[in-house]
Amino acid sequence: MNPARGEAAVRVAGETLVLRPTFAALVAAEQELGPLFALVERAAGGRLGLADLVALFWHCRHDAPEALTRERLGEAVVEAGLGAATPALKVLLRQILAGR
């Protein structure tokens, strides 16, 4: 994980999954979730759903194992708890607002 690139990390099945908010990743997330500023507002207001969080992580995944599915990523987030996903979410949201 490289914080200078705005990367974050989450644990999935005992492995570290790097999340990199590239332009392409954020465009894909926006196409699925709607405007990114609205996503940030939902998160700030405590209205970001689990499906939204997993979708953002899914689109920002970088060099993920081929066997990783979106469903498994979601299960890993639930298994670890939202508290464990929050630091990575904060990094991604900060990058959406501030850029690199």
Side-chain angles (χ1 to χ4, degrees), residues 5-83:
R5 285 190 183 146
E7 293 177 345
V10 292
R11 299 286 292 169
V12 176
E15 293 187 41
T16 300
L17 176 63
V18 174
L19 305 173
R20 182 183 291 172
T22 63
F23 175 75
L26 295 177
V27 167
E30 188 171 55
Q31 287 175 341
E32 179 178 344
L33 301 169
L36 294 178
F37 284 114
L39 179 77
V40 171
E41 287 177 347
R42 288 196 308 270
R47 298 180 317 277
L48 187 69
L50 180 60
D52 293 338
L53 175 109
V54 172
L56 180 61
F57 284 7
W58 180 254
H59 290 294
C60 290
R61 74 194 186 285
H62 178 71
D63 287 339
E66 286 188 31
L68 179 67
T69 64
R70 189 167 173 164
E71 181 179 347
R72 180 63 192 118
L73 175 58
E75 290 170 359
V77 168
V78 170
E79 288 169 9
L82 292 177

